[in-house]
Amino acid sequence: MMKNLTVPALACACAFSAGVPAAAETAEPYNPVKALRGERAAVPANDDDRGSFVLPKEKRGSAVALAVAPEYFFDFGSDLPDGDGWGASLSAAVRFDTDTPNWEFLGELEFLGYTAESGHYAHNGRRVKEELQSANLLIHLGLARALGENFVLEGLLGFGLGVTYGEVKGENFKTSSSGDLTTTVSAKLRGEYRLDENWGVFAAYRFAYVSPSIASRVADWRSLDLFAQSVEIGLRYRF
């Protein structure tokens, strides 16, 4: 048979065999899963945004958050010795991104109401006891620092106005009741654990100076100034 092949036929056969690629040299079909894995592997391992549930980043900036918390006042000082009481805080906060990673500016409007009373104590030879109810509107400014993916630490300083009503009771004189405008300076340290992108739980410590709280003339007092310490545990929702 080979003797019957002409020279032109052999040349064509060789050219045809040279133009056909081997099976191992054929192009691999496109695999979208493999391609996506390659793109993810190209992301730097030290990327701060990787794995954070608060992404995309625009979700973090200018976010409005509502929070509610019961508050326990465990140490009233100054003119309300041995005082303690309960209250509640309702607040709305706005966060603004900064150019520094993990830091945010924080502005907060808070309504704080509480009721408290002192234990009996001696004043000018009389046993005296005070009770008060107060409602205050506060504006806080501060900074928030992200510590890891889920925890945020906040420091706030605020000023507010309100109204306080109080009663002073003592031996050998009738109960005196009075009300007055309240000026409050408040400092808070708060830690929040973010459950997901929207919900978080937090705990906070507050130190506040309240003056004047009660305009009373019983036992020769014209006003009562208060130093208050309190703690709160609450729930926050982020829009």
Side-chain angles (χ1 to χ4, degrees):
M1 294 291 295
M2 293 296 295
K3 293 180 179 180
N4 297 328
L5 291 176
T6 62
V7 175
L10 287 173
C12 291
C14 292
F16 177 77
S17 61
V20 178
E25 297 177 357
T26 58
E28 182 181 352
Y30 177 74
N31 188 330
V33 176
K34 187 175 181 180
L36 182 59
R37 288 176 179 172
E39 293 176 1
R40 289 181 175 177
V43 177
N46 60 351
D47 190 352
D48 293 337
D49 293 337
R50 191 176 180 184
S52 177
F53 63 81
V54 296
L55 294 178
K57 190 174 181 180
E58 55 266 19
K59 289 283 187 179
R60 298 175 56 198
S62 302
V64 178
L66 298 180
V68 60
E71 188 157 357
Y72 172 63
F73 290 83
F74 63 91
D75 183 19
F76 272 102
S78 186
D79 294 328
L80 194 70
D82 300 323
D84 62 359
W86 287 92
S89 169
L90 178 63
S91 62
V94 180
R95 298 173 181 272
F96 301 94
D97 281 340
T98 66
D99 294 332
T100 305
N102 299 323
W103 286 95
E104 293 176 319
F105 288 119
L106 181 65
E108 182 178 86
L109 180 65
E110 179 188 30
F111 174 78
L112 174 65
Y114 58 87
T115 178
E117 65 179 30
S118 70
H120 283 99
Y121 63 97
H123 180 76
N124 291 341
R126 298 173 176 176
R127 284 174 56 84
V128 177
K129 183 176 182 179
E130 299 144 311
E131 298 177 358
L132 61 90
Q133 294 80 39
S134 184
N136 301 272
L137 189 63
L138 305 171
I139 296 177
H140 288 96
L141 297 175
L143 288 173
R145 165 74 177 178
L147 302 176
E149 294 181 359
N150 299 351
F151 188 76
V152 179
L153 186 64
E154 302 169 350
L156 304 103
L157 183 63
F159 174 82
L161 299 173
V163 177
T164 299
Y165 171 81
E167 294 183 349
V168 181
K169 303 177 182 179
E171 296 177 346
N172 303 323
F173 58 85
K174 297 181 179 180
T175 298
S176 173
S177 300
S178 61
D180 201 356
L181 294 177
T182 299
T183 301
T184 302
V185 178
S186 172
K188 296 181 71 173
L189 182 65
R190 180 166 57 205
E192 179 190 0
Y193 182 82
R194 296 185 179 180
L195 302 175
D196 56 29
E197 187 175 316
N198 299 109
W199 290 98
V201 293
F202 63 88
Y205 163 81
R206 182 200 304 268
F207 176 83
Y209 171 71
V210 185
S211 175
S213 181
I214 307 173
S216 172
R217 286 162 176 75
V218 176
D220 300 326
W221 289 323
R222 294 188 176 181
S223 66
L224 303 180
D225 295 342
L226 306 179
F227 294 98
Q229 297 185 73
S230 63
V231 292
E232 63 183 25
I233 298 176
L235 186 67
R236 172 180 281 168
Y237 181 79
R238 225 174 241 92
F239 292 91

